Amino acid sequence: MAQHALPAIPATEVPVAGGGFFPVRRVYCVGRNYLDHIREMKEADERDPPFFFQKPRDAVVPDGARVPYPPFTSDFQFEVELVVAIGRDGRNIAVAEANSHIWGYAVGIDLTRRDRQRDARDLRLPWEVGKSFDASAPCGAIKQGCDSAHFEHCAIRLSVNGVERQRSDTGQMIWSVPEVIAQLSKQVTLGAGDLIYTGTPSGVGPVVPGDLITAHIDGLPQLTVSITPPEV
């Protein structure tokens, strides 16, 4: 029987502010971590603990990416998020030790097939069909070693075609970054190269081909992506 070589797995890397690249290992996202977004979506108890889902590593695309409108949806939406880049392995990490595992921060967008997410919710199925697809995790350049205290309270916002659609403060997160890291590390062993998207505030909404999305978090490089027509 003929032997076939295993396919090469291309590396996914995110640019680092000032030069270099951050190799991505895994991508985790926190669901429902801003109170106003929970109320906006009307789909959870405000006292629920954080829960997590994953996106494929190659869903990550950089600043300036052209994102094709995805198949299997007619309600393609944006969610601006603070992204945490993990630089040190750990499991069962204490909240007090969580910051020592952070390599840096970036601004990200959790792109979502909202109609498919709602279908999955109603059928009590996993969210992957609505969340885990090609180019669904844009991530700006990572700023290394920035002061973690800054991101306890800083502006987070997103605009579409120059019109502001989301504006909040990271201090409105229900679960802080250290708490998110601690909770997630109870479930999996976090590793250097992991990205954690920490949830979105209210104001999420749809985009269409031709739209330009700009996401901003104070102190971090800006992220801009454009939505292009579906691939055929």
Side-chain angles (χ1 to χ4, degrees):
M1 182 179 295
Q3 295 290 320
H4 297 281
L6 292 173
I9 301 175
T12 297
E13 298 178 321
V14 177
V16 173
F21 293 89
F22 181 87
V24 179
R25 174 178 175 265
R26 295 178 181 170
V27 180
Y28 298 98
C29 301
V30 184
R32 304 171 184 148
N33 198 27
Y34 282 78
L35 187 59
D36 55 0
H37 182 55
I38 291 176
R39 293 172 176 171
E40 173 183 52
M41 301 304 289
K42 300 182 178 65
E43 61 182 21
D45 191 309
E46 296 174 5
R47 296 165 297 177
D48 284 349
F51 74 95
F52 303 91
F53 58 92
Q54 287 185 262
K55 289 178 180 270
R57 181 178 64 183
D58 61 0
V60 176
V61 293
D63 177 50
R66 294 166 58 85
V67 177
Y69 196 95
F72 200 47
T73 185
S74 58
D75 190 7
F76 184 40
Q77 296 197 4
F78 55 80
E79 300 184 2
V80 62
E81 312 208 1
L82 174 67
V83 178
V84 179
I86 299 297
R88 187 161 66 91
D89 297 358
R91 185 170 177 82
N92 292 319
I93 300 167
V95 172
E97 299 297 322
N99 282 334
S100 68
H101 291 261
I102 298 172
W103 193 87
Y105 295 86
V107 58
I109 304 171
D110 171 12
L111 292 171
T112 301
R113 295 191 281 214
R114 189 72 69 200
D115 43 1
R116 302 288 78 85
Q117 182 192 15
R118 290 192 177 108
D119 291 346
R121 178 199 66 193
D122 293 345
L123 294 170
R124 298 187 177 183
L125 295 174
W127 279 13
E128 273 73 12
V129 67
K131 292 287 191 177
S132 303
F133 53 92
D134 299 339
S136 62
C139 185
I142 298 172
K143 188 172 181 181
Q144 181 185 7
C146 37
D147 183 4
S148 60
H150 171 78
F151 298 100
E152 293 175 2
H153 290 283
C154 68
I156 177 172
R157 58 186 183 271
L158 179 144
S159 64
V160 179
N161 302 326
V163 178
E164 187 171 274
R165 302 290 296 276
Q166 289 185 275
R167 173 179 283 272
S168 190
D169 186 289
T170 56
Q172 298 301 310
M173 286 195 290
I174 298 169
W175 303 93
S176 68
V177 168
E179 289 171 333
V180 165
I181 291 171
Q183 184 72 22
L184 181 56
S185 72
K186 293 178 182 178
Q187 303 176 26
V188 297
T189 300
L190 291 176
D194 290 346
L195 298 178
I196 305 174
Y197 286 60
T198 59
T200 194
S202 63
V204 301
V207 286
V208 297
D211 283 344
L212 184 70
I213 307 174
T214 303
H216 179 88
I217 295 176
D218 283 356
L220 295 176
Q222 185 169 275
L223 169 62
T224 299
V225 297
S226 55
I227 307 303
T228 62
E231 294 181 336
V232 294

